[in-house]
Amino acid sequence: MPPAPFKNIILIGFMGSGKSSIGRELSRNLGYPIVDTDTLIVKRAGKPILKIFEDEGEEAFRDLETAVLRQLEEDRTSRRIIATGGGIIMRAENREALRRLGFVVWLVVTAAEIVQRTSRNRDRPLLNNEDREGTIERLLEERNGLYRKTAHQELETDGLTFPEITTGIIESARYFFATL
Ligand code: S3P
């Protein structure tokens, strides 16, 4: 018999799109533990993300993303909320792994919202430069098609409350899992 399908809810989206906070809200609502790929990477590498980028570069970080997704599959991780790093969709093998792991939701945000939400934070190496706005616009352009391609559901969260967002995701996920 083939193994049972994974029943995780996976949140993807740009830095500052609310993956962690919405993830925590979903976790409280469903009683599913939350797993964060960035946290798994920091544990695996034994150092913070900034330091991984500084010492080993972006490609090494992307290798770690691929490795933690592989680990989640190997561990048969199911009934979890999985929050991801904004660039995890850059590699085709990661996009495929994400879709195998469960119901993938893209939290859609505009460049202006991202600029505002990430302005006080300095722990994102890709945004620590002179032209933050330009970088955000460029990365969004590169990535939006990939988020769209990876997601089972797209959700514009702007103007919605947490309960509205989580109820919408939970209903869609139930439907998705019921049809597997
Ligand atoms: C990144 C997003 C970050 C983190 C790393 C790279 C990206 O995660 O994985 O700094 O390439 O967009 P968040 O989306 O949680 O900020």
Side-chain angles (χ1 to χ4, degrees):
M1 265 217 329
F6 292 104
K7 293 198 170 172
N8 301 295
I9 298 179
I10 299 136
L11 301 176
I12 63 169
F14 204 80
M15 296 172 260
S17 58
K19 291 164 293 187
S20 304
S21 38
I22 292 168
R24 279 194 297 273
E25 194 72 12
L26 283 168
S27 165
R28 262 196 295 276
N29 266 268
L30 284 169
Y32 284 12
I34 184 161
V35 175
D36 186 313
T37 56
D38 281 346
T39 309
L40 296 178
I41 288 171
V42 169
K43 269 196 205 138
R44 191 179 262 255
K47 51 184 159 185
I49 290 176
L50 271 181
K51 194 93 176 78
I52 302 174
F53 271 73
E54 206 176 283
D55 293 351
E56 299 162 52
E58 182 171 349
E59 273 316 294
F61 178 80
R62 301 288 167 219
D63 288 340
L64 286 162
E65 287 188 313
T66 303
V68 300
L69 288 180
R70 219 174 271 150
Q71 191 67 53
L72 290 172
E73 282 198 82
E74 273 168 28
D75 294 345
R76 303 287 320 152
T77 305
S78 195
R79 297 180 192 277
R80 298 282 184 277
I81 308 299
I82 304 178
T84 59
I88 204 157
I89 43 65
M90 299 298 289
R91 288 192 178 173
E93 62 183 311
N94 293 358
R95 297 196 290 274
E96 286 155 19
L98 290 167
R99 286 179 69 92
R100 281 195 301 272
L101 278 164
F103 182 62
V104 184
V105 182
W106 174 24
L107 303 176
V108 185
V109 269
T110 61
E113 281 173 296
I114 295 163
V115 171
Q116 200 201 343
R117 290 190 200 173
T118 58
S119 63
R120 271 161 306 171
N121 201 308
R122 287 285 164 269
D123 61 9
R124 292 181 169 108
L126 295 179
L127 300 184
N128 289 345
N129 61 55
E130 300 282 280
D131 182 19
R132 284 166 48 77
E133 288 196 39
T135 308
I136 289 169
E137 273 161 23
R138 179 179 55 79
L139 288 176
L140 270 178
E141 205 160 299
E142 256 172 55
R143 293 178 177 182
N144 276 347
L146 299 176
Y147 291 127
R148 177 165 296 120
K149 191 148 111 167
T150 312
H152 296 105
Q153 183 189 23
E154 287 183 29
L155 194 63
E156 291 197 20
T157 58
D158 198 23
L160 297 182
T161 63
F162 269 158
E164 284 165 344
I165 296 168
T166 48
T167 309
I169 295 175
I170 291 168
E171 276 174 13
S172 309
R174 285 220 170 97
Y175 180 78
F176 177 83
F177 293 138
T179 56
L180 284 178

